[in-house]
Amino acid sequence: MAKARTPSDLTITPRDVRFGRGQALKRYWLNDDPIATAFYNALSVTFPKGEAYFVESVKRFRDGTPAKLHGEINAFVKQEVIHSREHVAFNRHVVDQGYDIRLLERHVDEALALAEGRNPIGHLAATMALEHFTAILAHALLADPRHLDGAEPQAAGLWRWHAAEEIEHKGVAYDTWRHATRDWPRWTRWRVKALVMLIVTWRFFDGRRRGVLELLRQDGMTGPKVWARVAWHAFGNPGMVRKVAGAWLSYFMPGFHPWKHDDRALIALAESDYEDALLPGARRVAATA
């Protein structure tokens, strides 16, 4: 069986787009649903600092990579920098609606502090795991339009655009890891990859759970009934967490590669969906790939 790899004809294209400048979002911008809105707001708060971490983790291993991967890393960096910029703007909307996100930002800082002083290869392994998370969440978001049904157009456009680019560059951190660990024994590579993913999974879900509940607390929503509604949103309907469980497990399987499942068709679908939400002057940035 041929070894799975990033498609040779894949082009990673940073899209320099802007959403929602000068336009106010409703407090519950996703279908007037505080639970659904809190889910995405809490996730957005993590992106500016989280994606800066991803960029630095991958850039450390850029020198000496094959020309194609070197170009893909450069394009990945450009995409992530623009993602951070747009989520900074989106997070301003969250604050403008009266939310205090400082505790959520502190949670991100605490998570990143745990990685300080670690071996750079550990940072890359964590980035690879988190990039798998973002890719499978992006796939679920775009594959089922119900996730963003009833969302305000500017917010929905932002999330569809971000999801499309996460799919597009989903193999970069993984290919960088494979290059950086090319001399490792297969068992050592798998053991480190699997252990880091388990740690990252726990911290990811615990952090997002705390973030969602904190935002809902600021809405005056607390207690077991609210917790049950949050769990139902994650695992029941629309059930984003439930829907990505199989893709998450695939990470541990022999022969795994993010592009073993080629879902590029969702990128074109997303572009057609968010096109009307773009602000004037939005453009694509040429990528070296």
Side-chain angles (χ1 to χ4, degrees), residues 100-108 210 214 217-218:
D100 184 346
I101 64 172
R102 287 175 295 180
L103 179 60
L104 280 70
E105 290 177 327
R106 188 157 70 245
H107 290 162
V108 176
R210 291 191 292 165
E214 169 60 18
R217 183 195 66 77
Q218 294 180 33

Side-chain angles (χ1 to χ4, degrees), residues 7-178:
S8 59
D9 61 344
L10 174 71
T11 299
I12 300 174
T13 307
R15 300 155 180 85
D16 187 4
V17 298
R18 288 170 170 79
F19 297 92
R21 305 298 199 278
Q23 300 181 27
L25 292 178
K26 293 188 299 184
R27 187 176 182 87
Y28 305 137
W29 56 265
L30 181 46
N31 202 28
D32 294 317
D33 183 346
I35 303 290
T37 300
F39 181 89
Y40 288 94
N41 286 352
L43 188 58
S44 181
V45 171
T46 71
F47 284 136
K49 292 180 180 179
E51 293 189 321
Y53 173 82
F54 299 164
V55 164
E56 292 306 313
S57 297
V58 173
K59 280 173 60 179
R60 286 192 187 100
F61 294 91
R62 178 171 53 187
D63 292 347
T65 55
K68 183 176 187 296
L69 178 56
H70 193 279
E72 290 171 347
I73 292 172
N74 290 339
F76 165 83
V77 168
K78 291 177 184 177
Q79 285 188 331
E80 295 289 47
V81 168
I82 298 171
H83 295 174
S84 294
R85 183 195 70 199
E86 288 308 296
H87 281 280
V88 166
F90 181 84
N91 294 342
R92 289 195 197 104
H93 285 300
V94 177
V95 173
D96 288 345
Q97 292 305 318
Y99 291 106
D100 184 346
I101 64 172
R102 287 175 295 180
L103 179 60
L104 280 70
E105 290 177 327
R106 188 157 70 245
H107 290 162
V108 176
D109 290 338
E110 290 169 355
L112 294 176
L114 291 173
E116 287 183 4
R118 301 292 178 91
N119 191 306
I121 201 70
H123 293 287
L124 181 60
T127 294
M128 175 177 63
L130 286 164
E131 280 292 303
H132 182 58
F133 260 118
T134 56
I136 62 179
L137 290 170
H139 177 97
L141 182 73
L142 296 180
D144 187 349
R146 290 176 297 176
H147 288 295
L148 290 172
D149 270 355
E152 294 197 26
Q154 287 289 316
L158 166 70
W159 286 98
R160 290 188 179 111
W161 157 77
H162 191 165
E165 292 201 344
E166 289 299 330
I167 289 173
E168 195 169 67
H169 70 227
K170 67 180 180 176
V172 174
Y174 198 88
D175 288 344
T176 304
W177 159 265
R178 291 211 302 193

